[in-house]
Amino acid sequence: NTAQVHANLVTNSKESNQLRKQLEELRKEALVDDLTELGNRKAFNSLLQDLTIYHRYKPEPMCLIMTDIDDFKDFNHTYGHQVGDSILRFYAKILATNTDNNAKVWRYGGEEFAILLRNSSLDEAKQKAEELRETLESTKLTLKDSAAPIKTMTASFGVAFYHGDDDSIHTFIDRADSSLLQAKKLEKNRVVQEMGE
């Protein structure tokens, strides 16, 4: 009987561990965008919530860059949705590989991405956005199995600074989004920070 109870406990323990691993994998999958393999909007909101709480106890400068691909629908209409998906993956890779360890990138939705920079001033965040803009603009894209270039890919950027206790997650995101919209109105392919350029 003791041996049987022990065997049952071992089996139950293994099953519990397997279930725990499966749940952890499902949780991770729920926070990752399938197409770009970046964190998704849910993951972004979760981390931003944690950081704003942490900020109360240990304040650090924090900036948000919202960016989206200019005239993205034109890529879909001209070259098809598969090329559009490739464009999104390509842009995600540019953002992820050209940001430092103090930055995190998410796909916010559609062709819009969010970049959170910790220990960063507004000027430093604007400079990083400008570097990303220039990197993208200078890239020459071609269709698969073709040497012919396709339309130049550009993006617009809005930058905001987190103001601590006087701020909230919503107002922080709204300021970055408003700056992005302003960049779009000003002929696109540019960086605008909160409170003007």
Side-chain angles (χ1 to χ4, degrees):
N1 282 346
T2 304
Q4 185 61 48
V5 168
H6 179 70
N8 287 342
L9 286 173
V10 169
T11 300
N12 288 340
S13 178
K14 285 180 181 176
E15 288 174 358
S16 289
N17 286 337
Q18 285 176 337
L19 281 172
R20 200 173 293 115
K21 284 180 184 176
Q22 287 173 347
L23 284 171
E24 183 61 25
E25 287 171 11
L26 286 171
R27 190 187 72 77
K28 284 181 182 174
E29 284 177 18
L31 298 175
V32 174
D33 175 62
D34 285 342
L35 182 65
T36 62
E37 297 180 359
L38 295 174
N40 60 20
R41 188 169 181 166
K42 186 175 182 180
F44 167 74
N45 288 336
S46 177
L47 181 63
L48 195 55
Q49 178 79 45
D50 290 347
L51 287 176
T52 53
I53 292 168
Y54 178 72
H55 190 276
R56 292 177 199 155
Y57 304 99
K58 190 174 179 186
E60 64 178 18
M62 184 166 60
C63 289
L64 178 62
I65 301 171
M66 299 298 284
T67 175
D68 81 13
I69 300 166
D70 295 328
D71 303 316
F72 177 71
K73 288 185 174 113
D74 289 353
F75 287 101
N76 279 335
H77 291 316
T78 306
Y79 306 107
H81 288 281
Q82 285 187 334
V83 171
D85 286 350
S86 294
I87 293 285
L88 288 170
R89 282 192 294 268
F90 175 75
Y91 191 43
K93 188 173 182 182
I94 280 185
L95 296 177
T97 56
N98 288 281
T99 48
D100 302 325
N101 291 335
N102 71 331
K104 180 100 174 125
V105 183
W106 297 267
R107 184 178 180 196
Y108 193 70
E111 65 270 22
E112 190 171 4
F113 294 81
I115 307 163
L116 188 70
L117 291 92
R118 299 175 69 178
N119 293 310
S120 173
S121 69
L122 191 59
D123 285 343
E124 288 168 334
K126 185 178 181 187
Q127 180 59 40
K128 174 49 69 178
E130 188 61 39
E131 289 169 13
L132 291 166
R133 188 197 68 73
E134 289 172 2
T135 298
L136 182 64
E137 186 182 30
S138 65
T139 304
K140 305 300 178 204
L141 299 175
T142 59
L143 292 174
K144 192 175 181 181
D145 304 324
S146 170
I150 64 173
K151 177 185 170 197
T152 300
M153 183 179 165
T154 63
S156 297
F157 298 80
V159 186
F161 183 79
Y162 184 65
H163 298 292
D165 291 341
D166 297 329
D167 218 342
S168 73
I169 291 172
H170 301 297
T171 55
F172 186 33
I173 295 170
D174 283 347
R175 286 196 314 280
D177 250 340
S178 295
S179 298
L180 173 59
L181 288 172
Q182 184 68 11
K184 292 289 201 183
K185 287 177 185 173
L186 296 170
E187 300 176 8
K188 305 173 185 173
N189 189 27
R190 63 191 301 149
V191 176
V192 171
Q193 70 182 48
E194 63 174 288
M195 308 291 286
E197 286 189 67

